[in-house]
Amino acid sequence: MFADLLSQLFSYSLHDFLLFSPEVYWRLVTNYLNAHQLIGADVAIATSIAVYLLVKHRYPRLVLCFIAILWLWLGWQFYLTHYQTINYHASYLGFICLLQVALLLALAIKENYFQNKAVNAKKITVGLIISTMLTMPILAVSNGLPWSAGMAGLMPIPTVILSLFFTSQLASRWRYLLYPLPVLIAVVELLTLDLLTWQLIT
């Protein structure tokens, strides 16, 4: 009996744990993004200001609070309000986002300066941030989604990328605490997207 149970358990694959169809998921994402187009525009403006502050080595606490707001919106609105309606596991991801908010705010209390990195490293980071802000909306549109799907705060992957770029410029060694949770979110999201793509193909 144990052997049968074990055999049955190993017969499952990751695809068996997907609780919704690709059509349901993308319909939910599209409706969510269409309802928050203005937030995407506000995020673009706020991110541009944050990039300027990063270049000038000014107000890192303000930048951290901005990133915390992005994570708060992602956890509260995307995971806990919308995504949870089709996937009850999304609530765990929402609480992970809120934990990231707490870490960001804790570091904002402690941290008061960016790293004095080499000029080239700073230029590369700023270039990557700007490239992300431009390419992610283009990728979203090319995949049939609203442009705001490429904006941090609204969707997980852009939030992770932008968050890691900014926090990598902080001077404190405590910044490494800000890496694990975004990486975990990214892994879960990439696995989900992979499963959704696989379902569409088959």
Side-chain angles (χ1 to χ4, degrees):
M1 182 175 179
F2 178 74
D4 290 340
L5 182 63
L6 202 59
S7 173
Q8 188 176 4
L9 183 64
F10 280 108
S11 69
Y12 282 93
S13 67
L14 278 175
H15 305 95
D16 296 313
F17 295 95
L18 200 60
L19 304 176
F20 43 83
S21 68
E23 292 79 9
V24 169
Y25 176 80
W26 291 119
R27 181 74 176 171
L28 176 136
V29 168
T30 302
N31 289 339
Y32 160 74
L33 291 171
N34 285 334
H36 298 93
Q37 290 279 355
L38 290 178
I39 297 296
D42 292 339
V43 168
I45 295 170
T47 304
S48 301
I49 294 171
V51 170
Y52 173 79
L53 296 177
L54 174 65
V55 172
K56 295 295 183 182
H57 292 84
R58 298 180 68 181
Y59 306 115
R61 287 175 170 154
L62 190 60
V63 175
L64 281 171
C65 289
F66 164 64
I67 301 170
I69 292 172
L70 296 181
W71 281 99
L72 177 64
W73 186 269
L74 179 70
W76 168 43
Q77 278 296 315
F78 181 67
Y79 283 123
L80 294 174
T81 302
H82 290 81
Y83 194 15
Q84 191 184 27
T85 59
I86 62 171
N87 180 8
Y88 64 89
H89 294 125
S91 60
Y92 300 115
L93 299 175
F95 290 124
I96 286 174
C97 292
L98 298 183
L99 180 57
Q100 183 72 2
V101 171
L103 289 173
L104 284 161
L105 294 179
L107 196 61
I109 294 172
K110 176 178 173 52
E111 183 64 37
N112 61 3
Y113 60 99
F114 287 116
Q115 293 192 79
N116 187 20
K117 286 189 170 180
V119 174
N120 285 341
K122 181 73 70 180
K123 285 181 177 177
I124 290 172
T125 303
V126 170
L128 288 172
I129 293 173
I130 294 173
S131 298
T132 301
M133 290 174 62
L134 295 176
T135 56
M136 294 299 282
I138 293 173
L139 285 174
V141 172
S142 64
N143 284 286
L145 293 170
W147 67 270
S148 52
M151 296 310 302
L154 292 180
M155 292 299 289
I157 298 297
T159 307
V160 169
I161 295 173
L162 202 64
S163 180
L164 293 179
F165 281 154
F166 274 112
T167 52
S168 69
Q169 296 301 307
L170 294 170
S172 172
R173 57 192 172 88
W174 295 103
R175 70 183 182 278
Y176 295 111
L177 291 174
L178 300 176
Y179 297 159
L181 296 180
V183 171
L184 175 62
I185 292 280
V187 169
V188 172
E189 287 299 326
L190 289 174
L191 279 174
T192 303
L193 292 175
D194 178 61
L195 294 176
L196 290 170
T197 304
W198 181 85
Q199 278 205 357
L200 278 177
I201 292 174
T202 57

